[in-house]
Amino acid sequence: MRSLIVAFCIAVGFISPAFADETPPPVDPARIAAARDLLEVTGVTKQMDGMVEAMSKGFAKGANADTSETGKKLSAQFDSGMKKLLEYKDQMISDFAVLYAQTFTAEEMKTVADFYRSGAGAKFIAKTPDLMRKGAAIGMKYSEKIADEMKAAVPQPEPSAPSAPDQK
């Protein structure tokens, strides 16, 4: 999960300048309202908070923050960056609303929001954080497996033979 978000942020950083001159057409206020309702009913704000918390815990674990002074410092820097990101949460939600409004009609978003208000939809939303946490654990398991495979593939230096004492 963490690597996906880092990759996303990097991609946005590289892609954004390419589209900086493109001004999107104005979005219908009814679509914006429907998008905001959809974001509200799906709990995007809570999900962002939970995602940042999970990413911070995962980073701390990966940086060995419990056992390494360097890991503690790196983890603190990461946490600081994540807190800074959350300072932009309201603006991000507004940008998400515009994105949704540009992508879906108001009626489509209303239909999806109505689903999320139903029993099955509400259950889906309620279970999503646990699914994300468990999904992140699955991702970490395979990330660790890949890291171990990469370490095993790196040739290890052969131990050198003890040198003989100088003969004079």
Side-chain angles (χ1 to χ4, degrees), residues 72-99:
K72 282 181 190 172
K73 288 178 183 175
L74 289 171
S75 184
Q77 288 175 338
F78 183 83
D79 289 348
S80 176
M82 290 294 97
K83 285 178 184 166
K84 185 71 176 166
L85 176 69
L86 287 177
E87 289 176 16
Y88 294 101
K89 184 170 38 178
D90 290 339
Q91 292 97 329
M92 291 171 64
I93 296 294
S94 292
D95 289 349
F96 290 148
V98 170
L99 177 64

Side-chain angles (χ1 to χ4, degrees), residues 2 11 27 35 53 60 69 78-79 85 93 104-105 128 130 136 143 150 164:
R2 175 182 65 218
V27 182
E53 181 181 338
E69 202 55 42
F78 183 83
D79 289 348
L85 176 69
I93 296 294
F104 302 104
T105 67
T128 295
D130 191 44
S143 294
M150 291 172 72

